[in-house]
Amino acid sequence: MSELKIKVNQLTRVEGHGNIHLEATDGKLDRVLWEVTESPRFFEWMLKGRNYDDVSTISSRICGICSISHTTASLQATESAFGIKLTEQAWLLRKLLYDAEMLESHVLHVLFLIAPDFLGADSVIPLVATHGDIIVMAVRLKKLAYNLAEVLAGRKTHPITPIVGGWSKLPDVDELKAIRERLEKAMEDMDTMVAVVKSVAPMIPDFQRPTEYIALKDPKEYSFITGKIASSDGGTFDLVDYKQITNEFCVPHSSSKFAKHSRDSYMVGALSRFNLNSEQLLPRAKKAAKELGMKAPIHNPFFISVAQTVETVHAMEDAINIIDKLLARGLHEEEVKVKPRAGRGVGIVEAPRGLLIHDYTYDEAGNIVSANCIIPTGQNHLSIQKDFDALAPTILEKPEDEIRHTLEMLVRAYDPCISCSVH
Amino acid sequence: MKPKVAFFDFTSCEGCQLDALNLDVGEVLGLLGAVDIVNFREVKTDRSDDYDIAFIEGSITKESEIPRIQAIRAQAKVLVALGACACTGGVNCMKNAYPMEDLLKGVYGECAEYYNTIPARPVSAVVPVDAYIRGCPPTTAEFVNVVKSLLLGKRPDLPNYPVCTECRIAGNVCVFQRGGTCIGPVTRGGCEALCVSSGRFCWGCRGLVDDPNTNSEKDILARYGLTIDQILERFKIYNSYSEVSKCQS
């Protein structure tokens, strides 16, 4: 009897703590488990009693990687509860800041965390010697995204200026112009990034598992922070009805809750967005998708990072367009008036790794009575597990190292924010 | 021989690690030339338990994290707390206001028994810490400064004056004069008053200065018609763990 046991403790090159266990006997899979061991932090309880003015500051600390997403979802939940409508200028700035989030997070994931898997390295560090030009470009792109966020929000991690109803400080016009020039130049880097991803695409494991794909959908644009919830299985849902989709439940081996809708799992994130909304990509991003051979629907989860690459181009293009709009209309100081009222508000955005939900109930003084946060990675955990179940039996005859590496790559493909999913 | 550097994450959002390394190309190459990064789970697969300097991100919130931080302490010649969660306990300590059972039942319901949690605490509450890089998140410049000092064998020289000092240099109108409340008068500077300069106020993420002028703070509160309770609520966001917070609550 031959026994195979694979145990990956604290998977590397992902955000947060997760383990992989595989056991097989005589070439037959006994079990394969995706286990989340991250410490719970209880943000939903921390938010109780907090005044709206501190809420997005606290809730952005759920995640250091996608803190702009948490800030945005949080602000939109509070604005919805208070019945606040943003001005056009405030919307443009919020969308521009969001492009910085997508750009930074996707570049980090594709070029720093995923690339070593395809280039045979344990991290990005040895790649400095072997693929210096690409790493220099990756550092440059990440810095650009960070600087764009800095100009708008004071900093990228845990932004400062976005507030309920608008902005505490407007960006400097000259700095915006300077960033625009760097973005235009960086479009050339996008050609390189697409070429790099295309060159490794043949190494992407050939694995198909169709599932349900869920993302925001907006008739007007490739949606990041607007629209309704849509499913590839059909139907759209109002934001306040998100629980019809998420149906959270607990499992003993995970400190993150899992989620489930119409099938045995659903996926959120770049590939879901691509599958649902690819027709709305901006022209250069569409061209990049074509170059990369991407045509919706794609049922291979390893292609999430390819979809992220397409979205990187989209975010950069969108950022340039928004800066042009802002510069053409001029930036104007706008007084932000907030009148709290009792009630519930739901804010839903597309974090880089998928649907992110903040749901708050306020009292009449503007203090939180109860809060619920649902994180994209929490929704993807079951999809990761179901992919494991389908993928593992097909690779059991391979060498142990290769099985381990393939399972690790699968989790990484999802770009999981594990500590975020536990919050 | 280049010093061997390791990064470890405990309970946190993991933003500090990535922010610390938000370096320019030249700085990245400089850092990689000066140290060997031997353990850094978030960006690197190979791991080694032979290291000289350990950067610790996050606070301690689970029983299992205690032996882990003790083992790291036993190995590292220099242990650096990186970011608010490691330095003061950070936002994680807000949960300490509730019985742990209530938290578990509140969030996980019937599944509460699957999980465990203990009151959150900063790293220094469990093992001795040699240096602190404060903030939520710390600035990249400060991280670079601390690394440079450690490589030179010097004790990092970090600000121990209130945020107000830097706020004045930045030319900001005082938050209290704008009708707001601010933790800046008792909070350790070094952030160049970034939050106030961005049109907000100080949340106290860098912790208290060593010898806060509490009388002056009380004067400020009295002058602007505020009570200690009003400011303490905000103070507790980052400093729930501190003795000041404990004696007032």
Coordinates of all heavy atoms in Angstrom, one line a residue, chain A residues 24-75:
Chain A
A24 N -3.5 10.5 0.1 CA -4.0 9.6 -0.9 C -3.4 8.2 -0.6 O -2.3 8.1 0.0 CB -3.5 10.0 -2.3
T25 N -4.1 7.2 -1.0 CA -3.7 5.8 -0.8 C -3.7 5.1 -2.1 O -4.8 5.1 -2.8 CB -4.6 5.0 0.2 OG1 -4.8 5.9 1.3 CG2 -3.9 3.8 0.8
D26 N -2.6 4.4 -2.5 CA -2.6 3.7 -3.8 C -3.1 4.5 -4.9 O -3.9 4.0 -5.7 CB -3.4 2.3 -3.6 CG -2.7 1.4 -2.6 OD1 -1.5 1.5 -2.5 OD2 -3.4 0.6 -2.0
G27 N -2.7 5.7 -5.0 CA -3.1 6.5 -6.2 C -4.5 7.0 -6.1 O -5.0 7.6 -7.1
K28 N -5.2 6.8 -5.0 CA -6.6 7.2 -4.9 C -6.7 8.3 -3.8 O -6.2 8.1 -2.7 CB -7.5 6.0 -4.5 CG -8.9 6.3 -4.8 CD -9.7 5.0 -4.6 CE -11.2 5.3 -4.4 NZ -11.6 6.1 -3.2
L29 N -7.3 9.4 -4.1 CA -7.4 10.5 -3.2 C -8.3 10.2 -2.0 O -9.5 9.8 -2.2 CB -8.0 11.8 -3.9 CG -8.1 13.0 -3.1 CD1 -6.7 13.6 -2.9 CD2 -9.0 14.1 -3.8
D30 N -7.8 10.3 -0.8 CA -8.6 10.2 0.4 C -9.2 11.5 0.8 O -10.4 11.6 1.0 CB -7.8 9.7 1.6 CG -7.2 8.3 1.3 OD1 -8.0 7.5 0.7 OD2 -6.1 8.0 1.6
R31 N -8.4 12.5 0.8 CA -9.0 13.9 1.1 C -8.0 14.9 0.7 O -6.7 14.7 0.7 CB -9.4 14.1 2.5 CG -8.3 14.0 3.5 CD -8.7 14.5 4.8 NE -7.5 14.8 5.6 CZ -7.5 15.7 6.7 NH1 -8.6 16.3 7.0 NH2 -6.4 15.9 7.3
V32 N -8.5 16.1 0.3 CA -7.6 17.3 0.1 C -8.4 18.4 0.7 O -9.6 18.6 0.4 CB -7.3 17.4 -1.4 CG1 -8.5 17.6 -2.3 CG2 -6.4 18.6 -1.6
L33 N -7.7 19.2 1.5 CA -8.4 20.2 2.3 C -7.7 21.5 2.2 O -6.4 21.6 2.4 CB -8.4 19.7 3.8 CG -9.4 20.4 4.7 CD1 -10.8 20.1 4.3 CD2 -9.2 19.9 6.1
W34 N -8.4 22.6 2.0 CA -8.0 24.0 2.1 C -8.4 24.5 3.5 O -9.6 24.6 3.8 CB -8.5 24.8 1.0 CG -8.3 26.3 1.1 CD1 -9.3 27.3 1.1 CD2 -7.1 27.0 1.3 NE1 -8.7 28.5 1.2 CE2 -7.4 28.4 1.4 CE3 -5.7 26.6 1.4 CZ2 -6.4 29.3 1.6 CZ3 -4.8 27.5 1.6 CH2 -5.1 28.9 1.7
E35 N -7.4 24.8 4.3 CA -7.6 25.1 5.7 C -7.2 26.5 6.0 O -6.1 26.9 5.8 CB -6.8 24.1 6.6 CG -7.0 24.2 8.1 CD -6.1 23.2 8.8 OE1 -4.9 23.3 8.6 OE2 -6.6 22.4 9.5
V36 N -8.1 27.3 6.6 CA -7.8 28.7 6.9 C -7.5 28.8 8.4 O -8.4 28.5 9.2 CB -8.9 29.6 6.5 CG1 -8.6 31.1 6.9 CG2 -9.1 29.5 5.0
T37 N -6.3 29.2 8.8 CA -5.9 29.2 10.2 C -5.7 30.7 10.8 O -5.2 30.8 11.9 CB -4.6 28.5 10.4 OG1 -3.6 29.1 9.6 CG2 -4.7 27.0 10.0
E38 N -6.0 31.6 10.0 CA -5.8 33.0 10.4 C -6.5 33.4 11.7 O -7.6 32.8 11.9 CB -6.3 33.9 9.3 CG -6.1 35.4 9.4 CD -4.6 35.7 9.3 OE1 -3.9 35.1 8.4 OE2 -4.1 36.6 10.0
S39 N -6.0 34.2 12.5 CA -6.6 34.6 13.7 C -7.8 35.5 13.5 O -7.7 36.5 12.8 CB -5.6 35.4 14.6 OG -4.4 34.7 14.7
P40 N -8.9 35.2 14.1 CA -10.1 36.1 14.0 C -9.8 37.5 14.7 O -9.1 37.5 15.7 CB -11.2 35.4 14.7 CG -10.7 34.1 15.1 CD -9.2 34.1 15.0
R41 N -10.2 38.6 14.1 CA -10.0 39.9 14.7 C -11.2 40.6 15.2 O -11.2 41.5 15.9 CB -9.2 40.8 13.7 CG -7.8 40.3 13.5 CD -7.1 41.1 12.4 NE -7.6 40.7 11.1 CZ -7.5 41.4 10.0 NH1 -6.9 42.6 10.0 NH2 -8.0 41.0 8.9
F42 N -12.4 40.2 14.7 CA -13.7 40.7 15.2 C -14.0 42.1 14.9 O -14.5 42.9 15.7 CB -13.8 40.5 16.7 CG -13.6 39.0 17.1 CD1 -12.4 38.6 17.6 CD2 -14.6 38.1 16.9 CE1 -12.2 37.3 17.9 CE2 -14.4 36.8 17.3 CZ -13.2 36.3 17.8
F43 N -13.7 42.5 13.6 CA -13.9 43.9 13.2 C -15.4 44.3 13.3 O -15.7 45.4 13.7 CB -13.4 44.1 11.8 CG -12.0 44.6 11.7 CD1 -11.0 43.8 11.7 CD2 -11.8 46.0 11.7 CE1 -9.7 44.2 11.6 CE2 -10.5 46.5 11.7 CZ -9.4 45.6 11.6
E44 N -16.3 43.4 13.1 CA -17.7 43.7 13.1 C -18.1 44.2 14.5 O -19.0 45.0 14.7 CB -18.5 42.5 12.7 CG -18.5 42.4 11.1 CD -18.3 40.9 10.7 OE1 -17.7 40.2 11.5 OE2 -18.6 40.6 9.5
W45 N -17.4 43.6 15.5 CA -17.7 44.0 16.9 C -17.0 45.3 17.3 O -17.5 46.1 18.0 CB -17.3 42.9 17.9 CG -18.5 42.3 18.6 CD1 -18.7 42.3 19.9 CD2 -19.6 41.6 18.0 NE1 -19.9 41.7 20.2 CE2 -20.5 41.3 19.0 CE3 -20.0 41.3 16.7 CZ2 -21.7 40.7 18.8 CZ3 -21.2 40.7 16.4 CH2 -22.0 40.4 17.5
M46 N -15.7 45.4 16.7 CA -15.0 46.7 17.0 C -15.8 47.9 16.5 O -15.7 49.0 17.0 CB -13.7 46.7 16.2 CG -12.6 45.8 16.7 SD -11.2 46.0 15.6 CE -10.4 44.4 15.8
L47 N -16.5 47.7 15.4 CA -17.2 48.9 14.8 C -18.4 49.3 15.6 O -18.9 50.4 15.4 CB -17.7 48.5 13.3 CG -16.5 48.5 12.3 CD1 -17.0 47.9 11.0 CD2 -15.9 49.9 12.1
K48 N -18.9 48.4 16.4 CA -20.1 48.7 17.2 C -19.9 50.0 18.1 O -18.9 50.1 18.8 CB -20.5 47.6 18.1 CG -21.2 46.5 17.4 CD -21.6 45.4 18.4 CE -22.5 44.4 17.7 NZ -23.3 43.6 18.7
G49 N -20.9 50.9 18.0 CA -20.8 52.1 18.8 C -19.9 53.2 18.2 O -19.9 54.3 18.7
R50 N -19.2 52.9 17.1 CA -18.3 53.9 16.6 C -19.0 54.9 15.7 O -19.9 54.6 15.0 CB -17.3 53.1 15.7 CG -16.3 52.4 16.5 CD -15.3 53.3 17.2 NE -14.6 52.6 18.2 CZ -13.9 53.2 19.2 NH1 -13.8 54.6 19.1 NH2 -13.3 52.6 20.1
N51 N -18.6 56.1 15.8 CA -19.1 57.2 15.0 C -18.7 57.1 13.6 O -17.6 56.6 13.3 CB -18.7 58.5 15.6 CG -19.4 59.7 15.0 OD1 -18.8 60.3 14.1 ND2 -20.6 59.9 15.4
Y52 N -19.7 57.5 12.7 CA -19.4 57.4 11.2 C -18.1 58.0 10.8 O -17.5 57.5 9.8 CB -20.6 58.0 10.4 CG -20.6 59.5 10.4 CD1 -19.9 60.2 9.5 CD2 -21.3 60.2 11.4 CE1 -19.9 61.6 9.5 CE2 -21.3 61.6 11.5 CZ -20.6 62.3 10.5 OH -20.6 63.6 10.5
D53 N -17.6 59.0 11.5 CA -16.4 59.7 11.1 C -15.1 58.8 11.3 O -14.1 59.1 10.7 CB -16.2 61.0 12.0 CG -15.5 62.0 11.3 OD1 -15.4 61.9 10.0 OD2 -15.0 63.0 11.9
D54 N -15.2 57.8 12.2 CA -14.1 56.9 12.4 C -14.3 55.5 11.7 O -13.4 54.7 11.7 CB -13.9 56.6 13.9 CG -13.4 57.8 14.7 OD1 -12.7 58.7 14.1 OD2 -13.8 58.0 15.9
V55 N -15.5 55.3 11.1 CA -15.8 53.9 10.7 C -14.9 53.5 9.6 O -14.3 52.4 9.6 CB -17.3 53.8 10.3 CG1 -17.6 52.6 9.5 CG2 -18.1 53.8 11.6
S56 N -14.7 54.3 8.5 CA -13.9 53.8 7.4 C -12.5 53.7 7.8 O -11.7 52.9 7.3 CB -14.1 54.6 6.2 OG -13.5 55.9 6.3
T57 N -12.1 54.5 8.7 CA -10.7 54.5 9.2 C -10.4 53.1 9.9 O -9.4 52.5 9.7 CB -10.4 55.6 10.2 OG1 -10.6 56.8 9.5 CG2 -9.0 55.6 10.8
I58 N -11.4 52.7 10.7 CA -11.2 51.4 11.4 C -11.4 50.3 10.4 O -10.5 49.4 10.3 CB -12.2 51.3 12.5 CG1 -12.0 52.3 13.6 CG2 -12.2 49.8 13.1 CD1 -13.1 52.4 14.7
S59 N -12.4 50.3 9.6 CA -12.7 49.2 8.7 C -11.6 49.0 7.6 O -11.4 47.9 7.1 CB -14.1 49.2 8.2 OG -14.3 50.3 7.4
S60 N -10.9 50.1 7.2 CA -9.9 49.9 6.2 C -8.8 49.0 6.7 O -8.1 48.4 6.0 CB -9.3 51.3 5.8 OG -8.3 51.7 6.6
R61 N -8.6 49.0 8.1 CA -7.6 48.2 8.7 C -7.9 46.7 8.6 O -7.1 45.9 9.1 CB -7.4 48.6 10.1 CG -6.3 49.6 10.3 CD -6.7 51.0 9.9 NE -5.6 52.0 9.9 CZ -5.6 53.2 9.4 NH1 -6.7 53.6 8.9 NH2 -4.6 54.0 9.5
I62 N -9.0 46.3 8.1 CA -9.3 44.9 7.8 C -8.2 44.3 6.9 O -7.8 43.2 7.0 CB -10.7 44.7 7.2 CG1 -11.8 45.0 8.2 CG2 -10.8 43.3 6.6 CD1 -13.2 44.9 7.7
C63 N -7.7 45.2 6.0 CA -6.8 44.7 5.0 C -5.7 45.8 4.6 O -6.1 46.9 4.3 CB -7.5 44.2 3.8 SG -6.3 43.4 2.6
G64 N -4.5 45.4 4.6 CA -3.4 46.3 4.2 C -3.3 46.3 2.7 O -2.7 47.2 2.1
I65 N -3.7 45.2 2.0 CA -3.5 45.1 0.6 C -4.6 45.9 -0.2 O -4.4 46.6 -1.1 CB -3.5 43.7 0.1 CG1 -2.7 42.8 1.1 CG2 -3.0 43.6 -1.3 CD1 -1.3 43.0 1.2
C66 N -5.9 45.6 0.3 CA -7.0 46.3 -0.4 C -7.7 47.2 0.6 O -8.9 47.2 0.6 CB -7.9 45.2 -1.0 SG -8.3 43.8 0.1
S67 N -6.9 48.1 1.2 CA -7.6 49.0 2.2 C -8.4 50.1 1.5 O -9.4 50.6 2.0 CB -6.5 49.6 3.1 OG -5.6 50.3 2.3
I68 N -8.0 50.4 0.2 CA -8.9 51.4 -0.5 C -10.2 50.7 -0.8 O -11.3 51.4 -0.7 CB -8.2 51.8 -1.8 CG1 -6.9 52.7 -1.5 CG2 -9.1 52.6 -2.7 CD1 -6.1 53.1 -2.6
S69 N -10.3 49.4 -1.1 CA -11.5 48.8 -1.3 C -12.4 48.8 -0.1 O -13.6 49.1 -0.1 CB -11.3 47.3 -1.7 OG -10.5 47.2 -2.9
H70 N -11.8 48.5 1.1 CA -12.6 48.5 2.3 C -13.1 49.9 2.6 O -14.2 50.1 3.1 CB -11.7 48.0 3.5 CG -11.7 46.5 3.4 ND1 -12.7 45.7 3.9 CD2 -10.8 45.6 3.0 CE1 -12.4 44.4 3.8 NE2 -11.2 44.3 3.2
T71 N -12.2 50.9 2.4 CA -12.6 52.3 2.7 C -13.8 52.6 1.8 O -14.8 53.2 2.2 CB -11.4 53.2 2.4 OG1 -10.3 52.9 3.2 CG2 -11.8 54.7 2.6
T72 N -13.7 52.3 0.5 CA -14.8 52.6 -0.4 C -16.1 51.9 -0.1 O -17.1 52.6 -0.1 CB -14.3 52.3 -1.9 OG1 -13.0 52.9 -2.1 CG2 -15.3 52.9 -2.9
A73 N -16.0 50.6 0.2 CA -17.2 49.9 0.5 C -17.8 50.5 1.8 O -19.1 50.7 1.9 CB -16.9 48.4 0.8
S74 N -17.0 50.8 2.8 CA -17.4 51.4 4.0 C -18.1 52.7 3.8 O -19.2 53.0 4.3 CB -16.2 51.5 5.0 OG -16.6 52.2 6.2
L75 N -17.4 53.6 3.1 CA -18.0 55.0 2.8 C -19.4 54.8 2.1 O -20.3 55.5 2.4 CB -17.1 55.8 2.0 CG -15.7 56.2 2.6 CD1 -14.8 56.9 1.7 CD2 -16.0 57.1 3.9

